[in-house]
C-alpha cells in the first residue's frame, strides 16, 4: 500500500521484517519482484517459533526438571496455535513469542539486561510488550529492593522503542510506535 510519505510499502511491523531478513538473504533465489517467494519467510517463522519453544523449555527446566519442562514445551508448541499459526508464516507472532520466551529464560537466570533485549526484540513486532517489560522491571526492582533490574530491563526496551520510531518514520513517514 501507499504510506503517508508516498512510498509503496508492505504493511509489516519492523520485527517480522528484521527476523526474516537473514532468511531472505540466504534463501531467496532472485532479487526480482516477480520471483518473490514466501518460502524463506515460512522457514524463518518455523525457526523463530522453534527457538521460542526451546527457550521456554530452558526457562522451565531448572524449576520443573527435564521431563516436565519438555512436556510443557510440547504442549506450548503443539496443543496451542503456536505451531499451526506462528510457525506457518512470518507474522508478528513468532517474533513476539520468541521475545517473551527469551525474556522468561533470561529472567529465570536473573539476567535482566538479556530479558530487556529479548523483550525489545519482541516489541519490534508488538509494541505493547513494553507493558510486560515495565511490569518485569518494576516488579523485580520492587521485590529485590534495588533499581538494577529496572534499569537493565529499561535500557534495551527503550532503545527498541527508539528503533521502532525510526523504522516507522523511515518506512511510513510517521513518528509512531504503532507501526503499519
Amino acid at each position: 500500500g501507499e504510506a503517508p510519505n508516498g512510498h509503496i510499502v508492505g504493511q509489516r511491523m519492523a520485527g517480522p521484517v528484521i527476523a526474516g531478513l537473514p532468511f531472505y538473504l540466504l534463501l531467496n533465489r532472485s532479487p526480482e519482484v516477480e520471483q518473490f517467494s514466501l518460502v524463506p519467510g515460512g522457514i524463518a517463522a518455523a525457526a523463530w517459533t522453534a527457538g521460542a519453544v526451546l527457550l521456554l523449555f530452558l526457562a522451565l527446566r531448572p524449576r520443573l526438571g527435564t521431563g516436565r519442562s519438555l512436556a510443557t514445551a510440547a504442549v506450548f508448541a503443539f496443543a496451542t496455535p503456536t505451531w499451526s499459526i506462528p510457525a506457518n508464516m512470518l507474522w508478528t507472532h513468532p517474533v513476539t513469542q520468541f521475545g517473551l520466551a527469551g525474556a522468561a529464560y533470561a529472567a529465570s537466570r536473573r539476567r535482566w539486561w538479556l530479558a530487556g533485549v529479548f523483550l525489545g526484540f519482541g516489541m519490534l513486532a508488538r509494541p505493547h510488550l513494553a507493558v510486560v517489560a515495565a511490569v518485569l522491571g518494576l516488579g523485580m526492582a520492587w521485590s529485590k529492593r534495588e533499581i538494577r533490574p529496572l534499569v537493565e530491563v529499561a535500557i534495551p526496551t527503550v532503545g527498541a522503542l527508539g528503533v521502532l520510531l525510526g523504522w516507522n518514520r523511515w518506512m511510513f513517514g510517521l513518528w509512531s510506535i504503532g507501526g503499519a
Side-chain angles (χ1 to χ4, degrees):
E2 187 173 338
N5 62 2
H7 292 156
I8 302 299
V9 297
Q11 301 295 326
R12 292 282 183 228
M13 294 291 293
V17 173
I18 293 167
L21 189 60
F23 292 86
Y24 275 95
L25 290 173
L26 291 171
L27 302 173
N28 197 26
R29 304 229 179 232
S30 173
E32 302 298 322
V33 174
E34 297 82 23
Q35 300 294 321
F36 178 78
S37 170
L38 293 175
V39 171
I43 293 170
W48 288 106
T49 302
V53 173
L54 175 63
L55 286 167
L56 179 65
F57 166 76
L58 293 173
L60 296 173
R61 190 173 59 174
R63 289 179 172 61
L64 299 180
T66 301
R68 286 184 178 165
S69 298
L70 190 59
T72 303
V75 166
F76 169 65
F78 302 115
T80 71
T82 293
W83 202 252
S84 61
I85 296 173
N88 180 39
M89 195 170 181
L90 200 50
W91 309 92
T92 57
H93 306 75
V95 177
T96 305
Q97 287 183 335
F98 185 83
L100 287 168
Y105 166 76
S108 74
R109 282 148 177 82
R110 300 190 179 351
R111 297 178 64 193
W112 311 118
W113 178 266
L114 185 59
V117 169
F118 276 115
L119 287 170
F121 180 64
M123 287 166 47
L124 296 177
R126 293 213 173 133
H128 58 275
L129 285 186
V131 174
V132 176
V135 168
L136 176 64
L138 288 168
M140 293 313 302
W142 181 77
S143 71
K144 295 175 81 49
R145 304 287 192 251
E146 61 181 72
I147 195 79
R148 185 176 177 186
L150 175 62
V151 171
E152 288 185 4
V153 170
I155 290 172
T157 55
V158 169
L161 288 176
V163 168
L164 190 55
L165 277 170
W167 173 272
N168 289 335
R169 176 70 176 146
W170 175 54
M171 288 298 293
F172 309 115
L174 301 170
W175 290 106
S176 166
I177 61 168

